[in-house]
Amino acid sequence: MNHLKKLGTLGKHAENAMKAFQSLDKEALDDGTIPKKYKELIAIAVALTTQCPYCLEIHKKHAIEAGATQEELAEVTFVAAALRAGAAVVHGTHLMHES
């Protein structure tokens, strides 16, 4: 998590891009038609799939602040696992040839 301290430096060297990213991030994750708690649970599922430890920590914190329970965090883990396993199975079709 120490690398997150370098976000300011990154932003200083690409100010416009960082501001645009921060604006997108805020807009995408704010309460909307989909409540913030659900957006944070979606973010956790994506982070589990992409295996981003930074995203996991940040979105776990935000999900809990938005009211997510331990049971929901556990369940979202298996949603991500099912999708990741399903993708491997479906991509297995690329290995098959017509008989």
Side-chain angles (χ1 to χ4, degrees):
M1 295 303 287
N2 284 335
H3 288 291
L4 292 179
K5 295 175 187 170
K6 299 177 186 177
L7 284 174
T9 303
L10 180 64
K12 191 185 313 180
H13 294 290
E15 259 185 75
N16 291 340
M18 181 59 91
K19 286 179 183 174
F21 170 74
Q22 289 171 330
S23 179
L24 169 65
D25 188 66
K26 182 181 180 329
E27 184 64 33
L29 291 163
D30 270 354
D31 236 348
T33 303
I34 299 172
K36 182 164 182 59
K37 179 174 93 168
Y38 296 157
K39 288 182 178 186
E40 292 298 342
L41 290 170
I42 292 166
I44 289 170
V46 172
L48 286 165
T49 304
T50 61
Q51 298 180 327
C52 176
Y54 305 105
C55 294
L56 285 173
E57 285 300 314
I58 291 165
H59 294 289
K60 174 184 80 171
K61 178 181 180 277
H62 292 164
I64 291 168
E65 288 170 354
T69 65
Q70 289 292 102
E71 291 79 10
E72 288 170 322
L73 294 171
E75 205 167 299
V76 79
T77 299
F78 288 98
V79 170
L83 268 283
R84 198 164 166 119
V89 170
V90 173
H91 275 84
T93 62
H94 294 264
L95 305 173
M96 300 295 102
H97 58 82
E98 299 295 325
S99 300

